[in-house]
Amino acid sequence: YKFKRTENIDDIAKIEVLNIILGGSMSSRLFNDLRENKKLAYHVSSNIFKNFDTGAIVLNIGTTTDSPDPKEGSPQNISSALESFKNNVELLKTQNVTEKELDNAKKHLKANILASLETNSDITTHYCSAKRTPYGAKYHEELYKAIDKITADDIRQTANYLFQNPPVTSNV
């Protein structure tokens, strides 16, 4: 799903939290739905990609389509996975996430940020990257504040923004 990017820290935080809820962790909706419940995936995730003023949220699944044992794989796995992607996106657009889900995603994102600043090299890279933002050296401090302010309604509104256009689908 392609979308127009923004440099607004509140929007960035909302998009990152939504991504974690959808498919950015092992407790995400896609992981639980497609891997744990439907047994369709050996890998499932969502990721945010950024390129100048365009962003994309990419949903990925690794599934099997052929097997000597018909119970293990089927070409239907692809259509089932795509339908599940669509259903999970639609739920984010129409229903608020739970407070527990939101709180867990916020904690996960903050932990990812801290982990990304572990070494001196990581910190130097952070300052070089942050310099190109409107927030400068205070980028992560402002990002933490933005994460704390996110509500369930914000996630629903962000989903409606991110997923307003039809997806580009690729099967490999």
Side-chain angles (χ1 to χ4, degrees):
Y1 294 88
K2 293 192 311 183
F3 59 90
K4 182 166 177 47
R5 281 189 60 215
T6 172
E7 290 295 323
N8 181 293
I9 201 104
D10 293 325
D11 294 336
I12 292 166
K14 291 171 192 174
I15 290 167
E16 293 292 342
V17 169
L18 179 143
N19 180 58
I20 290 168
I21 292 168
L22 180 60
S25 74
M26 289 179 58
S27 63
S28 70
R29 290 180 173 202
L30 292 178
F31 187 90
N32 284 307
D33 182 24
L34 289 132
R35 181 179 162 107
E36 300 301 308
N37 296 338
K38 295 180 180 164
K39 310 293 185 211
L40 286 173
Y42 53 86
H43 168 80
V44 63
S45 65
S46 65
N47 298 289
I48 303 292
F49 292 94
K50 304 163 192 159
N51 188 22
F52 298 103
D53 68 343
T54 302
I57 184 163
V58 178
L59 313 182
N60 302 295
I61 185 169
T63 189
T64 180
T65 57
D66 55 10
S67 170
D69 180 353
K71 294 178 184 172
E72 287 184 8
S74 162
Q76 256 69 20
N77 285 3
I78 293 173
S79 57
S80 295
L82 291 172
E83 187 64 26
S84 291
F85 283 166
K86 179 181 167 188
N87 292 341
N88 278 284
V89 164
E90 197 57 35
L91 283 173
L92 282 173
K93 290 170 64 174
T94 58
Q95 297 177 11
N96 282 349
V97 299
T98 66
E99 286 303 316
K100 181 179 180 184
E101 202 174 15
L102 180 60
D103 188 52
N104 287 342
K106 289 178 178 183
K107 288 176 184 173
H108 187 94
L109 180 55
K110 287 179 178 182
N112 285 352
I113 293 167
L114 285 176
S116 75
L117 298 171
E118 237 176 282
T119 68
N120 289 340
S121 175
D122 294 336
I123 294 168
T124 301
T125 301
H126 150 70
Y127 281 119
C128 290
S129 297
K131 185 177 177 183
R132 293 188 299 262
T133 73
Y135 307 95
K138 293 188 177 233
Y139 179 82
H140 282 109
E141 180 182 329
E142 294 300 319
L143 184 57
Y144 264 68
K145 289 178 191 174
I147 292 167
D148 287 336
K149 292 189 304 188
I150 297 171
T151 66
D153 194 49
D154 290 333
I155 297 300
R156 186 179 43 76
Q157 290 173 6
T158 301
N160 279 289
Y161 175 74
L162 293 179
F163 303 117
Q164 65 184 311
N165 298 313
V168 175
T169 303
S170 175
N171 297 321
V172 180

